[in-house]
Amino acid sequence: MRHSVTESLLHLDSSADLTRDSVTRQLTASFADAWRGRENRYRYRDVAAEPVPLVTPAYATLGRRVERHGVLPLDKIAALAETGAEEREWALTLPLIEEVLAADALLLGVPMYNFSVPASLKAWIDRVSFPGAFTDPDTGESLLRDTKVVLVLARGGGYGPGTPRHGCDFQTPYLRAHFGKLGVSEVNLSTVEAELTRAGDIPALAGLEDLAAESLANARAAVAELATG
Ligand SMILES: Cc1cc2nc3c(=O)[nH]c(=O)nc-3n(C[C@H](O)[C@H](O)[C@H](O)COP(=O)(O)O)c2cc1C
């Protein structure tokens, strides 16, 4: 990923494993280290350690009201809140949206949980994806069209063609669809995947340790390449 010295990175981790054993945390940390070595703008958010509150009925009500106006500038939304609960929801949401908009690149560490993404990450996605938040109210274009997104994914098993679980990966396709819908362009969206991370632990995966090591080595190399461009 080519980037200039003035770019900023929002690094978000979502593994419930807060230790260095977490594969996604190891990989995102090495990306961030390389980035920070040359960049001066960096923000970190850990949605597992500090969960983003689930959206509430007031969030949904405010969102529906805003949608009826079309796409609104963010600074016009607070005035549409009709209750204290709606004001609180917006106060929780706006800084998270601004954090994304301020970033030139998003780095997301995402384990597979039950074929999909962790609930902690989904809570963040639901909240920041407020109606119109990433659309330019004047042009209708996505405000994320130039944003680079690096998805660092890990999963305990294997999901490639020919495996029993092929077709059960709702992690990578979901995230690709989500960021695509927000207007992130395909060329700016990179995925790095480490598979079979539990090969050393789960008896059913015994014998797959070499494949797991190869997958991790490939993921490490891909992260290094993306971080330094
Ligand atoms: C709650 C939970 C659900 C999981 N579900 C799956 C799953 O559906 N498929 C899978 O291959 N691995 C699953 N795993 C294993 C993780 O994807 C794997 O351990 C991965 O390395 C976790 O990322 P981390 O190392 O960054 O914590 C699950 C782990 C946890 C804790």
Side-chain angles (χ1 to χ4, degrees), residues 15 17 21-25 111-115 154-157 159 197-198:
S15 172
D17 180 350
D21 288 342
S22 158
V23 174
T24 53
R25 286 176 187 275
M112 176 183 279
Y113 284 176
N114 297 302
F115 299 154
R155 51 190 79 120
Y159 291 80
T197 62
R198 304 294 307 281

Side-chain angles (χ1 to χ4, degrees), residues 1-205:
M1 177 189 300
R2 304 257 162 224
H3 49 81
S4 72
V5 287
T6 57
E7 288 190 337
S8 66
L9 176 71
L10 173 60
H11 170 185
L12 187 149
D13 278 322
S14 62
S15 172
D17 180 350
L18 304 183
T19 73
R20 288 286 300 187
D21 288 342
S22 158
V23 174
T24 53
R25 286 176 187 275
Q26 285 172 30
L27 292 168
T28 58
S30 76
F31 183 105
D33 285 348
W35 182 285
R36 275 199 306 259
R38 305 197 329 243
E39 309 293 333
N40 55 15
R41 285 195 288 151
Y42 171 79
R43 279 186 78 90
Y44 182 64
R45 179 165 291 281
D46 189 333
V47 294
E50 289 182 55
V52 168
L54 297 179
V55 298
T56 64
Y59 176 103
T61 305
L62 179 62
R64 271 203 311 276
R65 192 174 309 120
V66 167
E67 276 181 310
R68 287 187 206 115
H69 290 78
V71 177
L72 286 180
L74 292 177
D75 63 3
K76 297 273 190 290
I77 292 174
L80 290 181
E82 291 183 358
T83 64
E86 289 178 16
E87 283 169 8
R88 280 192 295 281
E89 283 299 294
W90 185 239
L92 276 172
T93 304
L94 179 60
L96 297 172
I97 293 170
E98 288 176 329
E99 200 170 64
V100 173
L101 290 173
D104 297 297
L106 308 179
L107 168 68
L108 270 62
V110 189
M112 176 183 279
Y113 284 176
N114 297 302
F115 299 154
S116 182
V117 302
S120 62
L121 180 70
K122 187 60 166 52
W124 177 82
I125 287 174
D126 288 346
R127 190 165 281 284
V128 295
S129 308
F130 190 84
F134 300 116
T135 305
D136 186 324
D138 297 324
T139 65
E141 282 191 43
S142 170
L143 296 169
L144 302 183
R145 66 189 180 281
D146 297 323
T147 306
K148 292 158 194 134
V149 175
V150 177
L151 303 172
V152 174
L153 307 136
R155 51 190 79 120
Y159 291 80
T163 65
R165 291 275 161 83
H166 185 54
C168 296
D169 173 11
F170 299 96
Q171 177 194 29
T172 308
Y174 162 66
L175 290 169
R176 281 193 163 278
H178 173 68
F179 284 106
K181 182 201 152 217
L182 291 186
V184 174
S185 73
E186 190 64 26
V187 288
N188 284 337
L189 188 62
S190 309
T191 53
V192 175
E193 298 174 315
E195 287 211 323
L196 296 166
T197 62
R198 304 294 307 281
D201 306 315
I202 297 177
L205 300 179

